[in-house]
């Protein structure tokens, strides 16, 4: 007995919009959610309907194990993205500290040069 493959429909989620003009690529989680296919008969298996004790519950073609694997994959990708964001955040903090040190050094050089110039013209 072969079951028919359910007709898959695309997700109806709207594409993500960038915040404040950001130009970052969509996350793997967002891509997974946008491309996730949901069988047409899923709602039929969820919607309550009258049943009798003699009617055996029909199993649907909705494959929960594949959905669980899909969610696991999304969670794994999300963890990888969070680790990358954390690394970038640390790199940005280091860059900011280096920039602050360079700015302070530059300001000190400017003050020293101005002081030397003023002393030169006083004499």
């Amino acid at each position: 007995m072969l079951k028919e493959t359910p007709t898959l429909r695309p997700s109806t989620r709207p594409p993500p919009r960038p915040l404040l003009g950001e130009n970052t690529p969509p996350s793997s989680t967002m891509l997974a959610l946008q491309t996730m296919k949901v069988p047409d008969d899923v709602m039929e298996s969820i919607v309550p309907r009258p049943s009798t004790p003699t009617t055996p519950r029909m199993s649907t073609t909705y494959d929960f194990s594949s959905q669980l694997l899909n969610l696991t994959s999304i969670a794994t990708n999300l963890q990888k993205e969070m680790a990358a964001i954390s690394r970038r955040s640390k790199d940005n903090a280091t860059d900011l500290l280096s920039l602050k040190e360079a700015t302070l050094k530059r300001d000190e050089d400017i003050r020293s040069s101005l002081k030397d110039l003023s002393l030169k013209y006083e004499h």
Side-chain angles (χ1 to χ4, degrees):
M1 173 195 298
L2 294 174
K3 292 184 179 181
E4 279 187 41
T5 304
T7 306
L8 298 178
R9 56 189 162 101
S11 173
T12 57
R13 294 178 187 269
R17 288 179 281 149
L19 301 175
L20 302 174
E22 290 177 345
N23 196 16
T24 56
S27 68
S28 58
T29 304
M30 215 19 112
L31 289 174
L33 289 173
Q34 288 172 354
T35 58
M36 186 168 68
K37 304 290 184 195
V38 180
D40 285 331
D41 65 346
V42 169
M43 291 307 292
E44 293 172 12
S45 68
I46 299 172
V47 176
R49 56 182 172 245
S51 64
T52 62
T54 59
T55 306
R57 184 175 174 136
M58 300 280 293
S59 67
T60 64
T61 55
Y62 189 73
D63 186 2
F64 288 103
S65 64
S66 72
Q67 290 299 311
L68 184 58
L69 288 173
N70 190 19
L71 290 173
T72 302
S73 172
I74 290 170
T76 301
N77 289 336
L78 188 58
Q79 286 176 333
K80 289 177 186 175
E81 285 179 28
M82 292 299 292
I85 288 170
S86 178
R87 279 192 303 275
R88 284 196 305 265
S89 178
K90 288 175 186 173
D91 290 346
N92 288 343
T94 302
D95 291 346
L96 282 173
L97 288 174
S98 298
L99 184 60
K100 182 178 179 183
E101 289 173 17
T103 303
L104 290 173
K105 175 88 171 101
R106 183 206 61 200
D107 291 350
E108 185 59 38
D109 289 346
I110 291 171
R111 279 193 285 278
S112 176
S113 295
L114 287 173
K115 185 177 178 182
D116 290 346
L117 279 174
S118 69
L119 289 173
K120 190 181 222 182
Y121 285 107
E122 285 181 7
H123 293 108

